[in-house]
Amino acid sequence: MKRVVVIGGGISGLAAAHRLWELSRQKPDALQITLLEAGERLGGVIETRRQDGFLLEGGPDSFLSEKPAAVELCKRIGLEARLLGTREEFRRSFIYLKGRLVPVPAGFYLIAPTRLEALAGTRLLSVPGKFRALLELVIPPKKGTAEEDESVASFVRRRLGREVLDRIAQPMIAGIYSADPEKLSLRATFPRFLDLERDSGSVIRGLLRKQEGREKADREASGPRYSLFLTLRDGIGSLVDGLRRRMTGVRFRTGFSAARIERGEKWEIFSKEGERLEAESLLIAAPAPEAARLLGGVDSVLAAELSGIPYESVATVNLGFDQNELSDLPRGFGFVVPAVEKRNLIGCTFSSFKFAGRATEGKILLRLFIGGAAGRGFLQLSDSNLEQAVLRDIREILGAGNRPEFVSVRRHPSSMPQYGVGHLERVDRIFKRCEAVPGLYLAGNAYRGIGLPDCIREAEQAAERAWYHFQKCQVQSDTQIV
Ligand SMILES: Cc1cc2nc3c(=O)[nH]c(=O)nc-3n(C[C@H](O)[C@H](O)[C@H](O)COP(=O)(O)OP(=O)(O)OC[C@H]3O[C@@H](n4cnc5c(N)ncnc54)[C@H](O)[C@@H]3O)c2cc1C
């Protein structure tokens, strides 16, 4: 029997262990899978909790359906019927600008419109700002863009102008990556915009064409149709529970923090307390700085590359209100706040408007997102000061009256890897280096996507590489015996 140890019990480690479990199911005695998690519970940043009739997400609250890995995984583990789309009657988002919530123009795709009339009518941009954005249609593509990386800010400024960057792109992107767009790699985060520029000569023209194609495909599509964002009826935590329940035979060791690893004939993994485990393969799904620390004695060059990936801290604040306290809350999924507004919030999801079952009748649940590159100092505040600061913002922005029924702060220190310019080249070097170390595999949100579907896809691919390596070794040793 071969042994594989997975370090890290977030979604990446769980999805990797699960894929190994699936692949080895035909030969149950072929593989022993052990998953080590430093914390006392599985899920990493995923944390769903019920309180007084509210369903609180302390970490991620949804995932994109257009990247299939998360939906596919839910289907395979029997959660398809628990998938929950957004409440279409509330489909609308806002940007907080100059003291009011301005609707994001219909069909706006992160930085650019898919409908020109929506751009023309928006109050988010000044008249010169709109003309500048429309110039995008005739600005020629930058030469050499396909090869060279560029920051998201530089790309948006060059194609659509400064106003689109400051008022639309920056807050939308901060809401996903908690990053400074001046440093964020376009190739690592939104390669689609580069493709649109290259293939259509203009992002707007490319989006308009794709929109036509999508409308046609939608008309002809069969099978279930999902909204852009999906969650699970019982929260994202039920994905963690579902995975754990399904993996019979897998050893889950919570409270086991891998302190040191050594590579001899086999991998040796030591806990802080000195417990020693052995394995033929090691799959590290812990954050990159932790992978760097563990691999320091195995490959110092690999460790140095891993430790070069910077991280930011974020936090969520769930606020439960009686609806009378928020009677003027506009119908929508929530809002994001541009850095130029100098507020404490990155964004706020109207959770009970976005998804059904997040609050009981007559109650409203809000989920605030704070911290990131622009909010580092803010996260230094104590919980009670932080609470007061976000409540001040919420009162000023939404006009919420007295205190909410509860406030729940969940901090995620150094949880968001920052994909700086040149990130993908670094990731290529990391994976090349890793391939040269037999039996070592990496997964996690540090490499090729931070969203849940990206983490799942990457983790499953790492597990498949580990499994096929075992298979190859098996064939080789069988051949030697013959
Ligand atoms: C607040 C927040 C909101 C988000 N919202 C969304 C969203 O709505 N949609 C979306 O798609 N994505 C969202 N994301 C991103 C996504 O949730 C994360 O990128 C993803 O869950 C990360 O999973 P992971 O397993 O790679 O890392 P983590 O969840 O960080 O898990 C790593 C695990 O490794 C463990 N570990 C570390 N060191 C060791 C060690 N030495 N030994 C053993 N275990 C160790 C840690 O304890 C941790 O449990 C959000 C992220 C955050 C923080």
Side-chain angles (χ1 to χ4, degrees):
M1 181 182 268
K2 300 280 185 194
R3 295 158 298 178
V4 56
V5 164
V6 176
I7 299 181
I11 191 61
S12 301
L14 286 164
H18 176 257
R19 187 69 191 125
L20 282 164
W21 177 85
E22 279 184 324
L23 291 166
S24 61
R25 230 170 2 149
Q26 305 300 328
K27 302 181 189 169
D29 295 331
L31 198 62
Q32 182 189 89
I33 306 163
T34 305
L35 184 144
L36 308 178
E37 166 52 46
E40 290 308 321
R41 53 163 199 90
L42 297 173
V45 300
I46 299 174
E47 190 191 68
T48 304
R49 205 158 58 78
R50 287 190 187 271
Q51 179 174 337
D52 308 332
F54 292 91
L55 190 147
L56 314 183
E57 296 284 15
D61 70 346
S62 55
F63 49 82
L64 272 176
S65 62
E66 55 183 22
K67 294 186 173 183
V71 176
E72 291 304 321
L73 180 62
C74 289
K75 287 182 182 170
R76 297 203 314 275
I77 68 171
L79 289 178
E80 186 175 7
R82 308 304 293 162
L83 285 170
L84 180 67
T86 44
R87 296 172 74 182
E88 288 310 286
E89 69 273 30
F90 288 95
R91 175 189 276 283
R92 193 164 66 141
S93 296
F94 302 89
I95 294 178
Y96 179 71
L97 200 68
K98 298 184 180 161
R100 57 185 184 184
L101 292 178
V102 183
V104 176
F108 218 84
Y109 184 77
L110 285 164
I111 61 167
T114 54
R115 293 185 209 159
L116 287 183
E117 67 280 13
L119 177 69
T122 183
R123 283 185 292 154
L124 280 173
L125 300 174
S126 67
V127 173
K130 288 177 193 175
F131 276 112
R132 172 60 188 85
L134 283 174
L135 269 184
E136 202 276 333
L137 285 159
V138 293
I139 292 176
K142 187 176 157 191
K143 290 215 172 75
T145 328
E147 298 80 41
E148 274 168 40
D149 201 359
E150 174 178 21
S151 77
V152 172
S154 145
F155 180 83
V156 178
R157 239 187 331 258
R158 146 170 103 66
R159 297 240 37 113
L160 294 133
R162 171 134 227 133
E163 256 187 40
V164 172
L165 173 64
D166 288 347
R167 299 184 181 187
I168 303 178
Q170 181 278 328
M172 297 258 210
I173 287 161
I176 305 170
Y177 286 95
S178 358
D180 176 356
E182 298 291 348
K183 296 191 181 147
L184 197 66
S185 154
L186 183 69
R187 281 187 59 204
T189 54
F190 302 105
R192 194 171 166 205
F193 293 126
L194 265 183
D195 296 345
L196 288 168
E197 182 188 38
R198 188 197 53 226
D199 299 342
S200 303
S202 144
V203 175
I204 298 180
R205 202 175 313 125
L207 283 174
L208 294 176
R209 275 190 205 145
K210 291 229 170 331
Q211 184 61 16
E212 280 168 22
R214 183 167 302 143
E215 280 165 11
K216 183 167 177 284
D218 276 356
R219 282 194 300 274
E220 292 166 3
S222 58
R225 286 197 192 183
Y226 296 118
S227 57
L228 184 58
F229 290 101
L230 289 174
T231 191
L232 287 157
R233 279 179 205 284
D234 305 302
I236 300 291
S238 59
L239 175 59
V240 174
D241 299 339
L243 283 166
R244 176 172 190 155
R245 256 199 317 273
R246 191 160 190 249
M247 286 188 258
T248 48
V250 172
R251 296 173 183 192
F252 293 99
R253 299 282 311 270
T254 49
F256 189 120
S257 176
R260 187 163 61 83
I261 56 176
E262 283 180 17
R263 167 103 188 112
E265 264 191 25
K266 310 239 178 304
W267 289 98
E268 290 178 281
I269 301 104
F270 298 89
S271 75
K272 257 202 244 148
E273 294 74 28
E275 186 180 344
R276 175 178 160 278
L277 300 179
E278 260 193 8
E280 282 71 34
S281 278
L282 179 66
L283 196 155
I284 305 184
E290 192 60 6
R293 191 184 64 72
L294 289 169
L295 290 169
V298 175
D299 182 338
S300 57
V301 176
L302 173 59
E305 289 284 13
L306 285 164
S307 57
I309 300 175
Y311 274 70
E312 289 292 344
S313 300
V314 292
T316 57
V317 184
N318 275 283
L319 301 169
F321 286 94
D322 190 283
Q323 71 180 19
N324 295 325
E325 296 284 341
L326 274 173
S327 45
D328 294 333
L329 189 66
R331 292 166 76 84
F333 291 166
F335 63 88
V336 288
V337 185
V340 289
E341 291 293 322
K342 302 210 178 327
R343 290 274 167 183
N344 299 312
L345 308 180
I346 298 176
C348 168
T349 306
F350 305 161
S351 303
S352 49
F353 283 1
K354 188 172 173 187
F355 294 113
R358 269 47 196 159
T360 46
E361 193 62 35
K363 307 285 175 189
I364 289 178
L365 179 66
L366 303 182
R367 176 175 166 279
L368 316 182
F369 196 52
I370 56 180
R376 273 181 219 144
F378 183 50
L379 284 187
Q380 307 296 322
L381 297 177
S382 67
D383 274 9
S384 63
N385 287 345
L386 194 143
E387 242 177 80
Q388 279 170 21
V390 293
L391 280 172
R392 219 175 16 250
D393 270 5
I394 280 296
R395 282 191 196 111
E396 285 170 18
I397 296 172
L398 297 176
N402 298 316
R403 283 197 66 79
E405 290 185 2
F406 69 83
V407 183
S408 167
V409 179
R410 177 74 173 87
R411 294 172 188 262
H412 299 280
S414 303
S415 56
M416 294 297 247
Q418 303 290 295
Y419 292 0
V421 172
H423 177 78
L424 287 184
E425 286 77 6
R426 181 191 293 280
V427 170
D428 284 346
R429 291 195 299 273
I430 288 173
F431 277 77
K432 212 167 255 158
R433 198 83 199 171
C434 187
E435 272 169 31
V437 185
L440 177 65
Y441 305 92
L442 293 173
N445 64 0
Y447 309 110
R448 295 195 175 104
I450 64 159
L452 294 169
D454 301 302
C455 292
I456 293 168
R457 185 199 62 232
E458 285 293 298
E460 291 186 338
Q461 287 175 0
E464 283 164 12
R465 285 196 295 276
W467 173 252
Y468 292 118
H469 177 72
F470 277 141
Q471 297 303 94
K472 219 166 72 192
C473 295
Q474 185 63 43
V475 171
Q476 275 166 3
S477 67
D478 289 353
T479 321
Q480 276 163 16
I481 292 165
V482 172

